[in-house]
Amino acid sequence: IGIDPIRIVGAVFANLRDGGISQGGSTITQQLIKLSHFSTSEEDQTLERKAQEAWMAIKLEQMLEKDEILALYINKVYLGNNVYGMGTAAEYYFGKELKDVTIEEAATLAGIPQAPSYYDPYVNPEETTERRNIVIAMMHENEKITDEERNQALNVSLAGSLQDHSNVTDNSLVMDAYLQVVADEVFEKTGLDLYAGGLTVQTNLDM
C-alpha cells in the first residue's frame, strides 16, 4: 500500500530508544516521495515529515502501478559521484546504456543507493563488491536468475568493468564544482532541489 506498517512500528521503537529519527522504515514509494517533494537533509527528518511521506505514499500507490513508481524512483535516486538516476549511473560507471548492463553491473547499481558514499565502487571496491554479491544472492533466492547466472556474476571482478575516470579534464572538474554551487544557490533561494528534476536553470557558463 506504499508503506510497511511492521517496519514503521519497528522504526518507531528504535527511534524512541535512540532519542531521534535514526530509522525510517521507508518503502521505495516513500523514498520516491522524499526525493520528489522533500529535503533529504538529516535535520528535516521529523515525525511530522515522516507522517506526510507515509500519507503521500499511500495516495501515490492509488494513482500509479508498482512498475511506474519503481521507474520514477530509478530515474531520481542518487548513486554517488554527483550521479542521479540509474541510466546516468550505467553510463558513468560502466560506459553503457542501462538496458545493456550485465547482471553483476545491475546488482552493483542496485546496491549503491543504500549508502552512496560508502558503496562508491572507486573508493571502496571491496565493500561495494560485498554489497553487490548480496544483491546477486537475493536475485537468485527470488528466482530472478539461475544457478549458473549467479555463479558467473559472483566471479566477475568489479574493477574490470568500471570506467576509468582518472584522466578527467580540468574543465570537467571545474564544471562539476560550478554546477554544485548553482544547485546550492537554487536551493538557498527557492527551497527546490535541482537534482530532483523538473527545473530548467540557465547559467552564464560557456565551455
Side-chain angles (χ1 to χ4, degrees):
I1 61 172
I3 61 173
D4 185 338
I6 295 176
R7 287 184 64 198
I8 288 177
V9 171
V12 167
F13 280 110
N15 294 332
L16 289 174
R17 183 187 65 236
D18 298 338
I21 309 296
S22 61
Q23 295 186 24
S26 294
T27 63
I28 289 289
T29 309
Q30 284 175 273
Q31 292 179 48
L32 174 60
I33 291 294
K34 177 162 47 176
L35 289 171
S36 302
H37 296 285
F38 295 108
S39 163
T40 55
S41 299
E42 187 173 342
E43 59 267 23
D44 293 329
Q45 306 298 310
T46 64
L47 287 175
E48 180 181 6
R49 239 286 303 282
K50 289 292 181 183
Q52 289 176 316
E53 281 180 17
W55 174 248
M56 292 174 72
I58 292 172
K59 301 298 288 184
L60 184 62
E61 287 275 348
Q62 297 170 354
M63 298 168 58
L64 299 176
E65 298 293 328
K66 294 283 190 183
D67 285 349
E68 294 176 303
I69 291 172
L70 182 60
L72 289 169
Y73 172 78
I74 283 173
N75 282 315
K76 285 181 176 289
V77 67
Y78 180 59
L79 290 106
N81 292 291
N82 288 324
V83 173
Y84 288 80
M86 291 199 177
T88 305
E91 294 179 6
Y92 180 83
Y93 289 116
F94 305 118
K96 57 180 68 173
E97 293 186 35
L98 187 58
K99 65 181 178 64
D100 297 324
V101 298
T102 61
I103 290 172
E104 62 275 5
E105 290 167 350
T108 300
L109 295 178
I112 292 175
Q114 185 186 47
S117 296
Y118 184 73
Y119 293 123
D120 183 331
Y122 296 109
V123 178
N124 297 316
E126 292 184 6
E127 290 79 1
T128 305
T129 299
E130 183 178 346
R131 173 70 175 163
R132 179 202 72 174
N133 291 347
I134 291 174
V135 176
I136 292 171
M138 292 303 297
M139 293 170 73
H140 178 261
E141 184 177 318
N142 285 278
E143 300 181 349
K144 302 300 181 184
I145 57 176
T146 65
D147 291 349
E148 182 181 356
E149 289 174 324
R150 176 198 60 186
N151 295 337
Q152 183 176 347
L154 289 173
N155 287 321
V156 175
S157 167
L158 174 65
S161 58
L162 288 174
Q163 288 286 97
D164 182 6
H165 294 289
S166 60
N167 294 321
V168 175
T169 65
D170 290 340
N171 277 347
S172 297
L173 293 174
V174 169
M175 189 169 180
D176 284 346
Y178 182 93
L179 292 179
Q180 187 58 55
V181 171
V182 170
D184 292 343
E185 184 174 341
V186 168
F187 183 78
E188 180 183 343
K189 291 184 175 181
T190 69
L192 299 174
D193 182 2
L194 181 64
Y195 295 111
L199 300 175
T200 299
V201 179
Q202 183 173 340
T203 76
N204 66 348
L205 178 65
D206 184 344
M207 295 303 294

mmCIF file of all heavy atoms in Angstrom, residues 96-141:
data_model
loop_
_atom_site.group_PDB
_atom_site.id
_atom_site.type_symbol
_atom_site.label_atom_id
_atom_site.label_comp_id
_atom_site.label_asym_id
_atom_site.label_seq_id
_atom_site.Cartn_x
_atom_site.Cartn_y
_atom_site.Cartn_z
ATOM 1 N N LYS A 96 27.840 2.244 -20.573
ATOM 2 C CA LYS A 96 26.825 1.632 -21.426
ATOM 3 C C LYS A 96 25.431 2.072 -20.998
ATOM 4 O O LYS A 96 25.251 2.616 -19.907
ATOM 5 C CB LYS A 96 26.929 0.110 -21.371
ATOM 6 C CG LYS A 96 26.808 -0.485 -19.967
ATOM 7 C CD LYS A 96 26.917 -1.998 -19.962
ATOM 8 C CE LYS A 96 28.287 -2.504 -20.326
ATOM 9 N NZ LYS A 96 28.423 -3.971 -20.149
ATOM 10 N N GLU A 97 24.455 1.846 -21.871
ATOM 11 C CA GLU A 97 23.080 2.167 -21.529
ATOM 12 C C GLU A 97 22.559 1.168 -20.498
ATOM 13 O O GLU A 97 23.024 0.023 -20.422
ATOM 14 C CB GLU A 97 22.201 2.127 -22.780
ATOM 15 C CG GLU A 97 22.529 3.217 -23.788
ATOM 16 C CD GLU A 97 21.548 3.228 -24.946
ATOM 17 O OE1 GLU A 97 20.349 2.945 -24.709
ATOM 18 O OE2 GLU A 97 21.975 3.503 -26.077
ATOM 19 N N LEU A 98 21.556 1.613 -19.730
ATOM 20 C CA LEU A 98 21.034 0.779 -18.651
ATOM 21 C C LEU A 98 20.520 -0.565 -19.159
ATOM 22 O O LEU A 98 20.706 -1.595 -18.506
ATOM 23 C CB LEU A 98 19.915 1.530 -17.914
ATOM 24 C CG LEU A 98 19.370 0.871 -16.637
ATOM 25 C CD1 LEU A 98 20.481 0.639 -15.620
ATOM 26 C CD2 LEU A 98 18.265 1.725 -16.024
ATOM 27 N N LYS A 99 19.911 -0.565 -20.334
ATOM 28 C CA LYS A 99 19.356 -1.813 -20.880
ATOM 29 C C LYS A 99 20.444 -2.825 -21.242
ATOM 30 O O LYS A 99 20.151 -4.006 -21.458
ATOM 31 C CB LYS A 99 18.488 -1.517 -22.112
ATOM 32 C CG LYS A 99 19.259 -0.941 -23.297
ATOM 33 C CD LYS A 99 18.329 -0.645 -24.469
ATOM 34 C CE LYS A 99 19.064 -0.013 -25.644
ATOM 35 N NZ LYS A 99 20.062 -0.898 -26.229
ATOM 36 N N ASP A 100 21.707 -2.367 -21.302
ATOM 37 C CA ASP A 100 22.800 -3.244 -21.722
ATOM 38 C C ASP A 100 23.668 -3.747 -20.571
ATOM 39 O O ASP A 100 24.631 -4.487 -20.808
ATOM 40 C CB ASP A 100 23.689 -2.505 -22.733
ATOM 41 C CG ASP A 100 22.944 -2.151 -24.010
ATOM 42 O OD1 ASP A 100 22.099 -2.956 -24.437
ATOM 43 O OD2 ASP A 100 23.205 -1.073 -24.567
ATOM 44 N N VAL A 101 23.360 -3.356 -19.336
ATOM 45 C CA VAL A 101 24.211 -3.777 -18.219
ATOM 46 C C VAL A 101 24.047 -5.273 -17.963
ATOM 47 O O VAL A 101 22.995 -5.858 -18.233
ATOM 48 C CB VAL A 101 23.905 -2.996 -16.923
ATOM 49 C CG1 VAL A 101 24.183 -1.515 -17.106
ATOM 50 C CG2 VAL A 101 22.473 -3.226 -16.458
ATOM 51 N N THR A 102 25.097 -5.871 -17.434
ATOM 52 C CA THR A 102 25.073 -7.292 -17.081
ATOM 53 C C THR A 102 24.420 -7.471 -15.711
ATOM 54 O O THR A 102 24.114 -6.496 -15.023
ATOM 55 C CB THR A 102 26.499 -7.845 -17.035
ATOM 56 O OG1 THR A 102 27.235 -7.123 -16.021
ATOM 57 C CG2 THR A 102 27.202 -7.671 -18.371
ATOM 58 N N ILE A 103 24.234 -8.712 -15.309
ATOM 59 C CA ILE A 103 23.615 -8.998 -14.011
ATOM 60 C C ILE A 103 24.435 -8.396 -12.877
ATOM 61 O O ILE A 103 23.902 -7.743 -11.981
ATOM 62 C CB ILE A 103 23.471 -10.522 -13.816
ATOM 63 C CG1 ILE A 103 22.400 -11.070 -14.752
ATOM 64 C CG2 ILE A 103 23.133 -10.864 -12.361
ATOM 65 C CD1 ILE A 103 22.306 -12.578 -14.782
ATOM 66 N N GLU A 104 25.756 -8.603 -12.918
ATOM 67 C CA GLU A 104 26.592 -8.090 -11.821
ATOM 68 C C GLU A 104 26.632 -6.561 -11.826
ATOM 69 O O GLU A 104 26.720 -5.932 -10.754
ATOM 70 C CB GLU A 104 28.004 -8.670 -11.885
ATOM 71 C CG GLU A 104 28.812 -8.334 -13.121
ATOM 72 C CD GLU A 104 28.567 -9.264 -14.291
ATOM 73 O OE1 GLU A 104 27.665 -10.144 -14.181
ATOM 74 O OE2 GLU A 104 29.266 -9.122 -15.308
ATOM 75 N N GLU A 105 26.558 -5.949 -12.991
ATOM 76 C CA GLU A 105 26.541 -4.482 -13.064
ATOM 77 C C GLU A 105 25.221 -3.936 -12.539
ATOM 78 O O GLU A 105 25.193 -2.936 -11.810
ATOM 79 C CB GLU A 105 26.786 -4.033 -14.503
ATOM 80 C CG GLU A 105 28.214 -4.282 -14.973
ATOM 81 C CD GLU A 105 28.390 -4.135 -16.476
ATOM 82 O OE1 GLU A 105 27.373 -4.027 -17.200
ATOM 83 O OE2 GLU A 105 29.552 -4.138 -16.945
ATOM 84 N N ALA A 106 24.131 -4.599 -12.902
ATOM 85 C CA ALA A 106 22.817 -4.194 -12.386
ATOM 86 C C ALA A 106 22.778 -4.336 -10.861
ATOM 87 O O ALA A 106 22.239 -3.475 -10.150
ATOM 88 C CB ALA A 106 21.717 -5.036 -13.025
ATOM 89 N N ALA A 107 23.364 -5.405 -10.354
ATOM 90 C CA ALA A 107 23.393 -5.629 -8.904
ATOM 91 C C ALA A 107 24.225 -4.563 -8.197
ATOM 92 O O ALA A 107 23.897 -4.125 -7.092
ATOM 93 C CB ALA A 107 23.949 -7.020 -8.603
ATOM 94 N N THR A 108 25.308 -4.147 -8.843
ATOM 95 C CA THR A 108 26.137 -3.071 -8.283
ATOM 96 C C THR A 108 25.323 -1.787 -8.166
ATOM 97 O O THR A 108 25.319 -1.123 -7.119
ATOM 98 C CB THR A 108 27.375 -2.818 -9.167
ATOM 99 O OG1 THR A 108 28.151 -4.012 -9.243
ATOM 100 C CG2 THR A 108 28.230 -1.690 -8.588
ATOM 101 N N LEU A 109 24.618 -1.427 -9.234
ATOM 102 C CA LEU A 109 23.805 -0.207 -9.226
ATOM 103 C C LEU A 109 22.700 -0.297 -8.175
ATOM 104 O O LEU A 109 22.407 0.685 -7.482
ATOM 105 C CB LEU A 109 23.190 0.026 -10.604
ATOM 106 C CG LEU A 109 24.168 0.307 -11.747
ATOM 107 C CD1 LEU A 109 23.410 0.462 -13.063
ATOM 108 C CD2 LEU A 109 25.002 1.551 -11.468
ATOM 109 N N ALA A 110 22.087 -1.462 -8.047
ATOM 110 C CA ALA A 110 21.002 -1.634 -7.083
ATOM 111 C C ALA A 110 21.496 -1.504 -5.644
ATOM 112 O O ALA A 110 20.734 -1.102 -4.757
ATOM 113 C CB ALA A 110 20.341 -2.999 -7.285
ATOM 114 N N GLY A 111 22.765 -1.822 -5.428
ATOM 115 C CA GLY A 111 23.289 -1.778 -4.066
ATOM 116 C C GLY A 111 23.787 -0.421 -3.609
ATOM 117 O O GLY A 111 23.888 -0.157 -2.412
ATOM 118 N N ILE A 112 24.095 0.470 -4.546
ATOM 119 C CA ILE A 112 24.700 1.753 -4.201
ATOM 120 C C ILE A 112 23.781 2.690 -3.414
ATOM 121 O O ILE A 112 24.236 3.330 -2.448
ATOM 122 C CB ILE A 112 25.228 2.462 -5.467
ATOM 123 C CG1 ILE A 112 26.420 1.691 -6.045
ATOM 124 C CG2 ILE A 112 25.637 3.907 -5.175
ATOM 125 C CD1 ILE A 112 26.943 2.255 -7.365
ATOM 126 N N PRO A 113 22.489 2.843 -3.762
ATOM 127 C CA PRO A 113 21.660 3.871 -3.117
ATOM 128 C C PRO A 113 21.544 3.771 -1.603
ATOM 129 O O PRO A 113 21.288 4.772 -0.936
ATOM 130 C CB PRO A 113 20.286 3.673 -3.782
ATOM 131 C CG PRO A 113 20.597 3.110 -5.116
ATOM 132 C CD PRO A 113 21.760 2.188 -4.874
ATOM 133 N N GLN A 114 21.731 2.582 -1.032
ATOM 134 C CA GLN A 114 21.611 2.453 0.417
ATOM 135 C C GLN A 114 22.613 3.347 1.142
ATOM 136 O O GLN A 114 22.304 3.934 2.179
ATOM 137 C CB GLN A 114 21.817 0.994 0.844
ATOM 138 C CG GLN A 114 21.568 0.795 2.341
ATOM 139 C CD GLN A 114 21.914 -0.600 2.801
ATOM 140 O OE1 GLN A 114 22.979 -1.130 2.470
ATOM 141 N NE2 GLN A 114 21.027 -1.211 3.566
ATOM 142 N N ALA A 115 23.809 3.472 0.587
ATOM 143 C CA ALA A 115 24.853 4.331 1.170
ATOM 144 C C ALA A 115 25.813 4.716 0.046
ATOM 145 O O ALA A 115 26.876 4.115 -0.104
ATOM 146 C CB ALA A 115 25.597 3.591 2.283
ATOM 147 N N PRO A 116 25.448 5.728 -0.762
ATOM 148 C CA PRO A 116 26.215 6.056 -1.974
ATOM 149 C C PRO A 116 27.689 6.367 -1.741
ATOM 150 O O PRO A 116 28.523 6.007 -2.568
ATOM 151 C CB PRO A 116 25.481 7.283 -2.533
ATOM 152 C CG PRO A 116 24.093 7.153 -2.012
ATOM 153 C CD PRO A 116 24.234 6.558 -0.646
ATOM 154 N N SER A 117 28.022 7.026 -0.648
ATOM 155 C CA SER A 117 29.432 7.340 -0.387
ATOM 156 C C SER A 117 30.207 6.096 0.023
ATOM 157 O O SER A 117 31.334 5.877 -0.415
ATOM 158 C CB SER A 117 29.543 8.408 0.698
ATOM 159 O OG SER A 117 28.965 9.622 0.267
ATOM 160 N N TYR A 118 29.581 5.270 0.870
ATOM 161 C CA TYR A 118 30.247 4.064 1.361
ATOM 162 C C TYR A 118 30.392 3.029 0.252
ATOM 163 O O TYR A 118 31.423 2.364 0.131
ATOM 164 C CB TYR A 118 29.466 3.473 2.529
ATOM 165 C CG TYR A 118 30.126 2.275 3.165
ATOM 166 C CD1 TYR A 118 31.263 2.432 3.953
ATOM 167 C CD2 TYR A 118 29.623 0.988 2.980
ATOM 168 C CE1 TYR A 118 31.882 1.336 4.537
ATOM 169 C CE2 TYR A 118 30.231 -0.106 3.558
ATOM 170 C CZ TYR A 118 31.361 0.081 4.334
ATOM 171 O OH TYR A 118 31.970 -1.008 4.915
ATOM 172 N N TYR A 119 29.337 2.881 -0.564
ATOM 173 C CA TYR A 119 29.374 1.899 -1.653
ATOM 174 C C TYR A 119 29.806 2.540 -2.965
ATOM 175 O O TYR A 119 29.286 2.206 -4.032
ATOM 176 C CB TYR A 119 28.011 1.229 -1.805
ATOM 177 C CG TYR A 119 27.647 0.356 -0.619
ATOM 178 C CD1 TYR A 119 26.481 0.580 0.104
ATOM 179 C CD2 TYR A 119 28.478 -0.684 -0.219
ATOM 180 C CE1 TYR A 119 26.158 -0.207 1.192
ATOM 181 C CE2 TYR A 119 28.169 -1.473 0.878
ATOM 182 C CZ TYR A 119 26.999 -1.233 1.579
ATOM 183 O OH TYR A 119 26.680 -2.014 2.659
ATOM 184 N N ASP A 120 30.752 3.461 -2.887
ATOM 185 C CA ASP A 120 31.371 4.049 -4.077
ATOM 186 C C ASP A 120 32.363 3.025 -4.619
ATOM 187 O O ASP A 120 33.358 2.707 -3.951
ATOM 188 C CB ASP A 120 32.094 5.344 -3.699
ATOM 189 C CG ASP A 120 32.706 6.058 -4.901
ATOM 190 O OD1 ASP A 120 33.078 5.370 -5.878
ATOM 191 O OD2 ASP A 120 32.840 7.292 -4.856
ATOM 192 N N PRO A 121 32.129 2.475 -5.806
ATOM 193 C CA PRO A 121 32.997 1.409 -6.320
ATOM 194 C C PRO A 121 34.443 1.835 -6.539
ATOM 195 O O PRO A 121 35.340 0.983 -6.561
ATOM 196 C CB PRO A 121 32.332 1.011 -7.645
ATOM 197 C CG PRO A 121 31.451 2.144 -8.008
ATOM 198 C CD PRO A 121 31.023 2.780 -6.732
ATOM 199 N N TYR A 122 34.685 3.143 -6.698
ATOM 200 C CA TYR A 122 36.056 3.620 -6.892
ATOM 201 C C TYR A 122 36.782 3.784 -5.560
ATOM 202 O O TYR A 122 37.980 3.578 -5.469
ATOM 203 C CB TYR A 122 36.052 4.956 -7.638
ATOM 204 C CG TYR A 122 35.502 4.867 -9.038
ATOM 205 C CD1 TYR A 122 34.258 5.424 -9.354
ATOM 206 C CD2 TYR A 122 36.208 4.222 -10.052
ATOM 207 C CE1 TYR A 122 33.748 5.332 -10.639
ATOM 208 C CE2 TYR A 122 35.702 4.131 -11.338
ATOM 209 C CZ TYR A 122 34.465 4.692 -11.624
ATOM 210 O OH TYR A 122 33.957 4.602 -12.894
ATOM 211 N N VAL A 123 36.039 4.153 -4.538
ATOM 212 C CA VAL A 123 36.649 4.422 -3.220
ATOM 213 C C VAL A 123 36.695 3.165 -2.362
ATOM 214 O O VAL A 123 37.694 2.888 -1.704
ATOM 215 C CB VAL A 123 35.861 5.539 -2.495
ATOM 216 C CG1 VAL A 123 36.457 5.792 -1.104
ATOM 217 C CG2 VAL A 123 35.867 6.817 -3.317
ATOM 218 N N ASN A 124 35.601 2.408 -2.344
ATOM 219 C CA ASN A 124 35.516 1.203 -1.518
ATOM 220 C C ASN A 124 35.109 -0.004 -2.370
ATOM 221 O O ASN A 124 33.991 -0.521 -2.241
ATOM 222 C CB ASN A 124 34.483 1.405 -0.390
ATOM 223 C CG ASN A 124 34.884 2.507 0.572
ATOM 224 O OD1 ASN A 124 36.038 2.590 0.977
ATOM 225 N ND2 ASN A 124 33.930 3.346 0.942
ATOM 226 N N PRO A 125 36.000 -0.466 -3.236
ATOM 227 C CA PRO A 125 35.636 -1.576 -4.133
ATOM 228 C C PRO A 125 35.293 -2.877 -3.399
ATOM 229 O O PRO A 125 34.402 -3.610 -3.838
ATOM 230 C CB PRO A 125 36.881 -1.743 -5.011
ATOM 231 C CG PRO A 125 37.995 -1.113 -4.233
ATOM 232 C CD PRO A 125 37.374 0.006 -3.462
ATOM 233 N N GLU A 126 35.973 -3.164 -2.294
ATOM 234 C CA GLU A 126 35.696 -4.406 -1.573
ATOM 235 C C GLU A 126 34.303 -4.386 -0.957
ATOM 236 O O GLU A 126 33.553 -5.361 -1.053
ATOM 237 C CB GLU A 126 36.754 -4.631 -0.482
ATOM 238 C CG GLU A 126 38.145 -4.934 -1.038
ATOM 239 C CD GLU A 126 39.135 -5.241 0.063
ATOM 240 O OE1 GLU A 126 38.715 -5.336 1.245
ATOM 241 O OE2 GLU A 126 40.328 -5.398 -0.242
ATOM 242 N N GLU A 127 33.963 -3.264 -0.307
ATOM 243 C CA GLU A 127 32.642 -3.145 0.311
ATOM 244 C C GLU A 127 31.543 -3.149 -0.751
ATOM 245 O O GLU A 127 30.480 -3.738 -0.562
ATOM 246 C CB GLU A 127 32.558 -1.863 1.151
ATOM 247 C CG GLU A 127 33.398 -1.874 2.408
ATOM 248 C CD GLU A 127 34.875 -1.584 2.154
ATOM 249 O OE1 GLU A 127 35.251 -1.360 0.976
ATOM 250 O OE2 GLU A 127 35.641 -1.569 3.134
ATOM 251 N N THR A 128 31.815 -2.483 -1.883
ATOM 252 C CA THR A 128 30.839 -2.440 -2.968
ATOM 253 C C THR A 128 30.629 -3.827 -3.563
ATOM 254 O O THR A 128 29.500 -4.220 -3.878
ATOM 255 C CB THR A 128 31.299 -1.465 -4.075
ATOM 256 O OG1 THR A 128 31.557 -0.184 -3.500
ATOM 257 C CG2 THR A 128 30.225 -1.319 -5.142
ATOM 258 N N THR A 129 31.704 -4.588 -3.705
ATOM 259 C CA THR A 129 31.599 -5.952 -4.224
ATOM 260 C C THR A 129 30.801 -6.835 -3.271
ATOM 261 O O THR A 129 29.959 -7.637 -3.701
ATOM 262 C CB THR A 129 33.005 -6.557 -4.431
ATOM 263 O OG1 THR A 129 33.719 -5.774 -5.391
ATOM 264 C CG2 THR A 129 32.906 -7.993 -4.923
ATOM 265 N N GLU A 130 31.050 -6.666 -1.972
ATOM 266 C CA GLU A 130 30.306 -7.441 -0.978
ATOM 267 C C GLU A 130 28.810 -7.123 -1.054
ATOM 268 O O GLU A 130 27.967 -8.027 -1.020
ATOM 269 C CB GLU A 130 30.834 -7.131 0.427
ATOM 270 C CG GLU A 130 30.168 -7.932 1.530
ATOM 271 C CD GLU A 130 30.756 -7.641 2.894
ATOM 272 O OE1 GLU A 130 31.839 -7.032 2.956
ATOM 273 O OE2 GLU A 130 30.123 -8.008 3.899
ATOM 274 N N ARG A 131 28.502 -5.837 -1.183
ATOM 275 C CA ARG A 131 27.108 -5.414 -1.301
ATOM 276 C C ARG A 131 26.496 -5.957 -2.605
ATOM 277 O O ARG A 131 25.366 -6.451 -2.623
ATOM 278 C CB ARG A 131 27.041 -3.880 -1.274
ATOM 279 C CG ARG A 131 25.681 -3.293 -1.551
ATOM 280 C CD ARG A 131 24.715 -3.533 -0.433
ATOM 281 N NE ARG A 131 23.452 -2.845 -0.678
ATOM 282 C CZ ARG A 131 22.322 -3.107 -0.055
ATOM 283 N NH1 ARG A 131 22.294 -4.044 0.878
ATOM 284 N NH2 ARG A 131 21.222 -2.441 -0.327
ATOM 285 N N ARG A 132 27.250 -5.874 -3.695
ATOM 286 C CA ARG A 132 26.795 -6.411 -4.985
ATOM 287 C C ARG A 132 26.456 -7.880 -4.871
ATOM 288 O O ARG A 132 25.429 -8.346 -5.389
ATOM 289 C CB ARG A 132 27.897 -6.200 -6.035
ATOM 290 C CG ARG A 132 27.565 -6.742 -7.414
ATOM 291 C CD ARG A 132 28.816 -7.008 -8.239
ATOM 292 N NE ARG A 132 29.563 -8.186 -7.773
ATOM 293 C CZ ARG A 132 30.623 -8.685 -8.389
ATOM 294 N NH1 ARG A 132 31.097 -8.094 -9.476
ATOM 295 N NH2 ARG A 132 31.240 -9.758 -7.911
ATOM 296 N N ASN A 133 27.325 -8.634 -4.197
ATOM 297 C CA ASN A 133 27.123 -10.073 -4.071
ATOM 298 C C ASN A 133 25.880 -10.418 -3.252
ATOM 299 O O ASN A 133 25.228 -11.431 -3.497
ATOM 300 C CB ASN A 133 28.370 -10.716 -3.467
ATOM 301 C CG ASN A 133 29.555 -10.673 -4.414
ATOM 302 O OD1 ASN A 133 29.395 -10.378 -5.606
ATOM 303 N ND2 ASN A 133 30.739 -10.964 -3.904
ATOM 304 N N ILE A 134 25.562 -9.568 -2.271
ATOM 305 C CA ILE A 134 24.329 -9.763 -1.507
ATOM 306 C C ILE A 134 23.119 -9.600 -2.418
ATOM 307 O O ILE A 134 22.166 -10.387 -2.367
ATOM 308 C CB ILE A 134 24.253 -8.759 -0.334
ATOM 309 C CG1 ILE A 134 25.314 -9.104 0.724
ATOM 310 C CG2 ILE A 134 22.856 -8.745 0.288
ATOM 311 C CD1 ILE A 134 25.413 -8.088 1.839
ATOM 312 N N VAL A 135 23.169 -8.578 -3.283
ATOM 313 C CA VAL A 135 22.067 -8.353 -4.231
ATOM 314 C C VAL A 135 21.937 -9.534 -5.186
ATOM 315 O O VAL A 135 20.832 -10.009 -5.462
ATOM 316 C CB VAL A 135 22.275 -7.038 -5.016
ATOM 317 C CG1 VAL A 135 21.187 -6.867 -6.071
ATOM 318 C CG2 VAL A 135 22.287 -5.842 -4.072
ATOM 319 N N ILE A 136 23.067 -10.026 -5.678
ATOM 320 C CA ILE A 136 23.046 -11.181 -6.584
ATOM 321 C C ILE A 136 22.424 -12.392 -5.884
ATOM 322 O O ILE A 136 21.601 -13.113 -6.473
ATOM 323 C CB ILE A 136 24.467 -11.515 -7.074
ATOM 324 C CG1 ILE A 136 24.985 -10.405 -7.991
ATOM 325 C CG2 ILE A 136 24.490 -12.861 -7.803
ATOM 326 C CD1 ILE A 136 26.451 -10.540 -8.364
ATOM 327 N N ALA A 137 22.794 -12.604 -4.620
ATOM 328 C CA ALA A 137 22.237 -13.728 -3.858
ATOM 329 C C ALA A 137 20.726 -13.582 -3.694
ATOM 330 O O ALA A 137 19.979 -14.572 -3.794
ATOM 331 C CB ALA A 137 22.917 -13.807 -2.485
ATOM 332 N N MET A 138 20.264 -12.360 -3.472
ATOM 333 C CA MET A 138 18.830 -12.129 -3.334
ATOM 334 C C MET A 138 18.107 -12.332 -4.667
ATOM 335 O O MET A 138 16.979 -12.834 -4.705
ATOM 336 C CB MET A 138 18.578 -10.711 -2.815
ATOM 337 C CG MET A 138 19.030 -10.474 -1.383
ATOM 338 S SD MET A 138 18.266 -11.612 -0.204
ATOM 339 C CE MET A 138 16.542 -11.152 -0.377
ATOM 340 N N MET A 139 18.753 -11.952 -5.765
ATOM 341 C CA MET A 139 18.178 -12.188 -7.094
ATOM 342 C C MET A 139 17.988 -13.691 -7.321
ATOM 343 O O MET A 139 16.963 -14.130 -7.851
ATOM 344 C CB MET A 139 19.072 -11.592 -8.182
ATOM 345 C CG MET A 139 19.149 -10.073 -8.162
ATOM 346 S SD MET A 139 20.428 -9.423 -9.274
ATOM 347 C CE MET A 139 19.672 -9.714 -10.871
ATOM 348 N N HIS A 140 18.981 -14.472 -6.891
ATOM 349 C CA HIS A 140 18.898 -15.918 -7.049
ATOM 350 C C HIS A 140 17.837 -16.503 -6.120
ATOM 351 O O HIS A 140 17.047 -17.367 -6.519
ATOM 352 C CB HIS A 140 20.262 -16.544 -6.763
ATOM 353 C CG HIS A 140 20.263 -18.041 -6.865
ATOM 354 N ND1 HIS A 140 20.171 -18.857 -5.750
ATOM 355 C CD2 HIS A 140 20.325 -18.872 -7.949
ATOM 356 C CE1 HIS A 140 20.194 -20.117 -6.134
ATOM 357 N NE2 HIS A 140 20.281 -20.154 -7.465
ATOM 358 N N GLU A 141 17.808 -16.021 -4.892
ATOM 359 C CA GLU A 141 16.836 -16.518 -3.909
ATOM 360 C C GLU A 141 15.401 -16.258 -4.381
ATOM 361 O O GLU A 141 14.501 -17.064 -4.131
ATOM 362 C CB GLU A 141 17.079 -15.839 -2.561
ATOM 363 C CG GLU A 141 16.187 -16.347 -1.441
ATOM 364 C CD GLU A 141 16.518 -15.694 -0.110
ATOM 365 O OE1 GLU A 141 17.722 -15.536 0.187
ATOM 366 O OE2 GLU A 141 15.580 -15.328 0.611
#
